[in-house]
Amino acid sequence: MFRAAATMFSVTSTASLSRGALFSIRHYCKRTPTKLRVSQAFSGAELGAKVKVQGWVRSVRSQKTNLFLHLNDGSSLQSLQVVASPELNDPSLTFGSAVEVTGVLKKSPHQNQPVELEADQIHVVGECNPVDFPFKIKERHSLEYIRQFPHLRCRTNAFSSLLRIRSEATTAIHSYFKENGFVQIHTPVITSNDCEGAGALFQVEPSSSEKEEDENFFSVPAFLTVSGQLHLEIMSGAFSRVYTFGPTFRAENSQSRRHLAEFYMVEAEVSFTQSLEDLTKVMEDMFRSATEHVLAHCAEDVDLFHKHVTPGHRNTVDFMLKKRFPVITYSEAIDILNRSSQKFAFPTHWGCDLQTEHEKYLVKHCGNIPVFVTDYPYDLKPFYARDNKDHPEHTAAAVDLLVPGVGELCGGSLREERLDLLRARLEEAGLEDTYSWYLDLRRFGSVPHGGFGLGFERYLQCILGVDSIKDVIPFPRFSHSCVL
């Protein structure tokens, strides 16, 4: 009897488990729509399949027989057309609303769009009141206007294109350095050195009110970095090619179109070099490589700027890429400026620092293409710039890259590797104790080396033709403005 009961329990349990397993298999095998990004939909890979697309409505048009939506999710400048029955229309389905659309991806009968989504379900995820929304469906808003709404401007075509270009340019720069044997170094954002002469500093202190007088959290004064150069120089004692790409900070009280308090810098250091040509080659090759990559991978986004924001600028970019970048010395630059008939706000003479107006004139004089200016007066450059020992003029082995529409894009130099000369200059500036560690780099296995920095936002201004640097960074910080 016990055995029979046990057998019955076993059979019953097995049958119950079989039914549960069958239900699980059916549930698992139930076909669910493939989730696609808009850019994936345009590839046509899921043509004829049931798909789900999520994004924001760029336009709504209701007719007697059809409801038309244009849907964008930020993956592409082009929006996906959705065709649906008028019965799926909803009062909350408005410009700017967030939606989830399920339907069949089909080939479009219209030449201007390869595919369209025939919807059988539209779900409004987030409503948007088009009256209160600051961007209007049929208006083309200027960069200056959308700048007033830093929390919303990513919803516009122009700024979403800018952000995709910025992302792709970042990828291109990293790829260039990787392909050319550079090691990426994460240099610190908080530092105790000021990269002497690089700019005004933001000091870092705890916000706590319990801070005692004359007490430093780090035991020494600490600042937001103005450059990763000195940290890269440390690494160049172990790696022949290094670079960093990150935020830098300058406490300059400026609201000009060229300056920010927070911006991104690409910096590189090359060991075993005694030639500025080695540095200018990396600068020029990186500029070309990154620009060609952006033009190839963000064609639609770049075209939006070159057609609607800065018409005709594509010709300038193409011309830049066709020509080798000329090289002139600082002395030759001063001679060109002195012979010019143009009246400058800042007078020019040997020993003066070049201003933006001078830099832009030199670019135009050289054919409106990027130009390198080398061998600046020694007294204009920081302590680490290599002395050319070329009296009576006395110059440093320094170089700037000037580009159309912007002026200075890159600045660099060979570094002073001769211990006696470096120590003498630090002593003259009263910095020998502060930079004793820097002298150690020259004492232990030092090699001739050099490096440069490129302002990433200025690079974007250059290739897109954007006038204000505040329009090429997601959240601009400048004096008297730190919104969000």
Side-chain angles (χ1 to χ4, degrees), residues 191-401:
T191 176
S192 59
N193 75 68
D194 67 356
C195 202
E196 194 265 337
L201 304 170
F202 287 106
Q203 188 158 353
V204 178
E205 295 180 350
S207 60
S208 172
S209 59
E210 298 177 2
K211 177 180 177 292
E212 295 182 12
E213 190 175 354
D214 298 327
E215 177 189 0
N216 287 304
F217 180 86
F218 296 102
S219 298
V220 294
F223 311 94
L224 294 180
T225 183
V226 295
S227 170
Q229 178 209 314
L230 296 184
H231 296 97
L232 283 185
E233 284 200 61
I234 292 172
M235 297 300 174
S236 69
F239 303 92
S240 59
R241 290 187 155 204
V242 292
Y243 82 101
T244 190
F245 189 166
T248 50
F249 307 85
R250 305 280 170 93
E252 296 176 351
N253 189 16
S254 173
Q255 298 188 27
S256 78
R257 296 175 182 270
R258 300 175 68 248
H259 294 94
L260 291 169
E262 178 187 13
F263 55 96
Y264 278 70
M265 283 277 284
V266 180
E267 298 179 87
E269 205 74 21
V270 180
S271 298
F272 299 99
T273 180
Q274 291 180 289
S275 168
L276 281 179
E277 289 182 11
D278 290 342
L279 299 185
T280 59
K281 184 179 188 308
V282 175
M283 290 186 208
E284 183 170 350
D285 288 351
M286 181 183 66
F287 182 94
R288 291 181 183 280
S289 175
T291 305
E292 288 168 358
H293 178 98
V294 168
L295 294 179
H297 290 80
C298 293
E300 284 188 330
D301 293 313
V302 171
D303 284 347
L304 181 146
F305 278 87
H306 290 168
K307 289 179 180 178
H308 302 296
V309 179
T310 52
H313 191 70
R314 180 57 183 263
N315 294 333
T316 301
V317 175
D318 288 340
F319 189 65
M320 284 192 286
L321 296 176
K322 289 178 182 176
K323 301 288 186 179
R324 302 305 302 181
F325 300 172
V327 181
I328 61 174
T329 65
Y330 170 88
S331 297
E332 291 170 335
I334 292 298
D335 185 53
I336 291 169
L337 294 169
N338 287 340
R339 288 188 284 108
S340 169
S341 59
Q342 182 172 323
K343 298 295 183 183
F344 297 112
F346 296 89
T348 57
H349 56 84
W350 202 97
C352 74
D353 206 354
L354 297 182
Q355 303 297 318
T356 302
E357 60 176 347
H358 305 145
E359 295 167 348
K360 290 184 176 181
Y361 180 86
L362 291 169
V363 168
K364 289 183 179 178
H365 177 85
C366 294
N368 206 35
I369 58 174
V371 55
F372 290 108
V373 179
T374 67
D375 303 308
Y376 280 78
Y378 184 72
D379 290 339
L380 289 180
K381 295 300 174 181
F383 66 84
Y384 46 74
R386 194 177 198 274
D387 190 343
N388 279 332
K389 304 292 286 184
D390 55 351
H391 298 285
E393 285 189 334
H394 198 192
T395 63
V399 57
D400 285 348
L401 176 60

